[in-house]
Amino acid sequence: MVAVSTTAAVPEGRVVRVSGSLVEVERLPGTVISEVVTLGRVGLLGEVVAITDGVLTVQAYEDTGGLGPGAPAAALGRPLSAALGPHLLGGVFDGLLRPLSEAGDWLGPGAGAAPADPRRWSFTPTVAPGARLGAGEEVGTLDGDGPLALRVTVQPGVPADDRGTVESVVPAGEYRSEETLAVVGGRPVTMATTWPVRHPRPFRARMDDVAALHTGQRVLDLLQPIARGSTASVPGGFGTGKTMLLQQIAKWCDADVIVYVGCGERGNEMADIVEELQSLVDPRTGRPLRLRTVVIANTSNMPMMAREASIYTGVTVAEYFRDMGLHAVVIADSTSRWAEALREFASRRGALPAEEGYPAGLASALAAFYERAGDVRTLGGRRGSVTIIGAASPPGGDMTEPVTAHTQRFVRATWMLDRDLAYARHYPAVAWAGSFSRDAGALAAWHARNGDAAWGRRRARMGSLLADSDRLASLAELVGEGAMPGSERVVLLAGRLLRDSVLRQSALSPNDGFCSVAKGAALVDAVLAVVDRCQGLVEAGVPATRIEEVDLGALVRAAEATGPADVDGVLARRDRVLAELEGLS
C-alpha cells in the first residue's frame, strides 16, 4: 500500500492542467521521475512520468473528478512502493495494495496508508547478537495462523556480500509487524518492509535445473506443461473460459503462494473468486485456501490507471514470498486490460501511437513484466520461484493483435483457448494444435529423473494421435467415415477417446476438478492401450464397425467416476474395456 508522508516541510506545488488521469503540476523543484505525488486537498495519489521545463506530468491512480487547476500538490520523495508483510496472506487489496476487506464497497479518494495491522505474530529468533548477516538472510521465523513457514529477513538494498553485525534481537514472543525485531549493521529489521514496485527484488542466481509446476489440469500437465519460475500466456476470446481456467490453476496448482491480480475484469467475477477462495479447503494442508492467497482486485469499475500499477504490485508481492524460499504464482487476468490503460494514458500524453494505438513501448513493457519470473537462489541462499501466468483478451478473438502477439514472444508456454471447443462445451477449451510449451523437453528429463521415464513418449504419442485425428476428421467430412480404411477409423476413435477421456475436465466435479500426476498418466496409458488393441484387431481382419460397436463408456467415464488420485480405479476400467475387445478376436 502507498504510505502518505506526514513530514511538515513538504514543498507545495500547484496543479495547472487535468485531462482524465493525466495531471500537470508545477512548482515542485527537485522532483524526479517515478516519484509519488499527492494531488488536491484529499491527497489523490499519482506518479511522475515526465518532466518538461519544470512542469511535471503525473499519472494519477485515482479518479480525478473534482480536481482542477490551482489545487495543491506535494512530492513524497520516494517511488511508488508496496508495503510487504505477513498481513498480505488472506487479504484483498486494490491495485496500490490498499486493503479492501474492511473498506466497504469503495475506497475514499486519497486513501493512503492503511491503519497499522493490529494482529500480533509469534516471532522466534534464529540468530544471536554478534552474528554476521547479509541482505536476505534470516533473522527469525513467524508462526502465524496460516500453513506457510514465514521468515523475517534483512531487507535487500545492500550487496549480498555486505554483511552487518547483529547488534540486538528481541526474545521469542508476539509482536506487531511494525515493531523492530533486530538491529543489523545499524539498520532496524521488522516484519513489514516496503519495496518500489517497478524495481525487481534482487537475488543471487537463476537456477539451471527445472521442476514441474503441477496445475491439476490434464491438458496442461500432460501436453503443454510449465516449469516453476516459468511464464505462460492464456489468450482467448470472450466466453472461452479464461477466468475459469485461471481459477482452477489458482485453486489446485502446487505453489506455496497464489497472487491473483484481477486487472480490469468484471467485479462480479472477482467477487466470485474471493468468495470461493474463502470457502475452499486447501487439499495440501486441510486449512482454508485463502491463508496462502493474496487477491489484488482492480476491477473495471475502479480507477483505470491503477490497473497499470496492479501487475507490478502483484509481482512484487510474489517476489517478497519468493525471497522466503517459497514458490509463488502470479495470475494476471488480464494483461490486455493493463495494456489498454497504457494506451489510454499514452493518448492523453500525446505520445506517437504504434500498432492499433498502443504505445511504442508496449513490447518492452511486456518483456520487462514477464522477465521478473524465475526460479532463483535468493540472497539468503534459499531456493524460491515466481511463476507468471497472464491472460490475454484479444478483441474479437484476433490472436494477431499486438498484446497477444508480443506476449507469445516472451513467454515459455501459450495455452490458446479455442472458441469451437468452448461452444462444444469441451472445457478447458485449450487448443492442442495452437498451444505450445518451450519447457516440455526439460520437463521430460525431470519426469524421467523422478520416476516417470515414459512421460516424454506419452506426450509425443498423444500429440501425434490428436494431430492425425484432426487431419483425418477433415477428410471424413468429405468422404464419410464409413468409406475410410479401418486403421484410419481407429485413429479417429483414438482422437475422440483422448479428447473425451483425458483432455475434457469438469471444474465443478469433486472427482475431476483436480487430477493427480499419477491418475493423469494412468488415463493416457489406458487410452493408448485400448487404441493399440483396436489397431491390432484391425490388422487381424476384424471390421472397424465391430470395434466401434464396443461400449467404451467405462473408459470415457473413468476420470469422472474415480477419485482425483485413484489410479487403481482407472486401471480396472481399462481392463474391463480390454476384456470386451478380446471377445472380438
Side-chain angles (χ1 to χ4, degrees):
M1 72 203 81
V2 177
V4 178
S5 173
T6 57
T7 304
V10 175
E12 186 173 281
R14 186 175 72 91
V15 172
V16 296
R17 178 172 175 261
V18 180
S19 176
S21 58
L22 181 145
V23 181
E24 292 184 356
V25 177
E26 63 180 7
R27 299 180 186 173
L28 283 178
T31 307
V32 298
I33 292 290
S34 298
E35 189 169 339
V36 175
V37 172
T38 60
L39 305 167
R41 297 296 179 189
V42 296
L44 303 178
L45 294 171
E47 180 181 8
V48 178
V49 296
I51 303 175
T52 306
D53 296 330
V55 177
L56 312 178
T57 300
V58 176
Q59 174 176 274
Y61 289 114
E62 303 187 64
D63 184 4
T64 55
L67 184 69
L76 301 187
R78 54 172 177 73
L80 188 69
S81 302
L84 307 171
H87 66 280
L88 295 174
L89 290 173
V92 182
F93 306 87
D94 78 339
L96 302 182
L97 214 59
R98 297 176 296 189
L100 298 174
S101 302
E102 304 298 331
D105 293 335
W106 303 97
L107 280 174
D117 185 4
R119 289 175 292 178
R120 303 181 75 88
W121 305 82
S122 180
F123 171 74
T124 302
T126 54
V127 296
R132 302 277 293 176
L133 294 181
E137 294 188 327
E138 181 181 297
V139 172
T141 60
L142 299 178
D143 183 15
D145 60 352
L148 301 177
L150 302 180
R151 296 178 172 87
V152 178
T153 61
V154 179
Q155 170 76 341
V158 297
D161 57 355
D162 186 1
R163 308 178 71 80
T165 301
V166 179
E167 300 171 10
S168 64
V169 61
V170 299
E174 294 189 347
Y175 301 90
R176 291 186 177 179
S177 59
E178 72 274 10
E179 293 185 69
T180 298
L181 303 177
V183 177
V184 179
R187 297 186 300 157
V189 177
T190 63
M191 300 179 207
T193 63
T194 60
W195 189 262
V197 298
R198 301 189 189 281
H199 297 277
R201 287 172 66 91
F203 53 84
R204 184 175 297 175
R206 290 186 181 269
M207 306 301 295
D208 293 328
D209 57 326
V210 301
L213 177 72
H214 184 228
T215 67
Q217 308 305 298
R218 288 187 294 270
V219 66
L220 306 182
D221 295 333
L222 296 171
L223 274 180
Q224 311 299 349
I226 185 175
R228 280 180 172 170
S230 193
T231 53
S233 172
V234 187
F238 177 77
T240 54
K242 290 189 302 299
T243 298
M244 180 60 76
L245 176 59
L246 295 176
Q247 288 181 28
Q248 287 296 97
I249 294 172
K251 289 187 289 186
W252 300 114
C253 77
D254 58 356
D256 297 314
V257 177
I258 304 295
V259 182
Y260 198 105
V261 184
C263 184
E265 292 301 297
R266 294 181 292 276
N268 60 335
E269 288 186 351
M270 286 304 305
D272 290 343
I273 292 170
V274 171
E275 183 178 359
E276 193 162 6
L277 290 176
Q278 290 178 342
S279 62
L280 282 175
V281 174
D282 189 345
R284 297 169 56 188
T285 65
R287 308 284 297 280
L289 182 61
R290 63 175 178 81
L291 295 179
R292 59 181 183 90
T293 63
V294 181
V295 177
I296 298 175
N298 195 263
T299 54
S300 55
N301 59 343
M302 290 183 175
M304 181 271 300
M305 286 315 302
R307 296 181 203 168
E308 192 272 339
S310 64
I311 65 166
Y312 298 108
T313 300
V315 76
T316 301
V317 170
E319 289 172 342
Y320 166 73
F321 289 107
R322 175 205 69 190
D323 291 346
M324 294 185 184
L326 300 173
H327 299 287
V329 170
V330 178
I331 297 177
D333 186 12
S334 83
T335 55
S336 294
R337 306 291 178 258
W338 165 74
E340 288 171 3
L342 292 180
R343 178 168 60 184
E344 180 171 334
F345 189 76
S347 176
R348 292 183 185 278
R349 287 180 57 194
L352 185 66
E355 301 173 83
E356 298 189 14
Y358 289 105
L362 174 64
S364 298
L366 285 166
F369 170 60
Y370 285 106
E371 180 65 21
R372 292 178 69 169
D375 187 2
V376 305
R377 183 71 63 189
T378 69
L379 294 181
R382 295 171 291 275
R383 183 169 185 169
S385 67
V386 173
T387 306
I388 299 179
I389 302 173
S393 307
D398 178 14
M399 299 300 175
T400 64
E401 61 88 31
V403 178
T404 304
H406 288 310
T407 298
Q408 292 187 58
R409 295 165 49 198
F410 307 124
V411 296
R412 298 287 300 171
T414 288
W415 301 326
M416 190 83 70
L417 299 185
D418 184 82
R419 189 181 302 275
D420 291 337
L421 287 175
Y423 285 175
R425 304 190 68 79
H426 177 109
Y427 293 107
V430 177
W432 42 86
S435 303
F436 66 83
S437 170
R438 297 186 176 104
D439 292 332
L443 290 177
W446 179 85
H447 280 286
R449 292 193 301 270
N450 287 272
D452 188 2
W455 187 92
R457 294 192 299 273
R458 185 184 300 117
R459 175 179 182 268
R461 180 86 187 279
M462 283 181 66
S464 176
L465 283 173
L466 288 168
D468 289 344
S469 175
D470 288 346
R471 174 179 55 82
L472 292 174
S474 300
L475 180 61
E477 291 178 358
L478 294 176
V479 302
E481 188 171 336
M484 300 177 70
S487 60
E488 293 183 347
R489 291 170 69 173
V490 171
V491 172
L492 290 171
L493 175 64
R496 290 194 296 270
L497 281 176
L498 286 172
R499 290 192 296 269
D500 294 339
S501 305
V502 180
L503 302 184
R504 187 193 300 267
Q505 192 168 352
S506 172
L508 304 178
S509 168
N511 280 342
D512 205 28
F514 166 81
C515 183
S516 68
V517 175
K519 180 182 175 181
L523 284 169
V524 178
D525 288 341
V527 170
L528 296 181
V530 169
V531 170
D532 289 342
R533 184 58 189 141
C534 291
Q535 286 285 15
L537 291 172
V538 167
E539 292 172 1
V542 177
T545 305
R546 291 189 61 196
I547 296 175
E548 292 168 346
E549 291 174 350
V550 173
D551 182 11
L552 303 179
L555 186 58
V556 173
R557 293 187 294 272
E560 174 69 28
T562 58
D566 186 2
V567 174
D568 292 339
V570 173
L571 298 181
R573 287 171 172 268
R574 176 203 63 185
D575 294 342
R576 191 187 313 168
V577 172
L578 289 176
E580 291 190 33
L581 290 172
E582 287 297 328
L584 301 180
S585 57

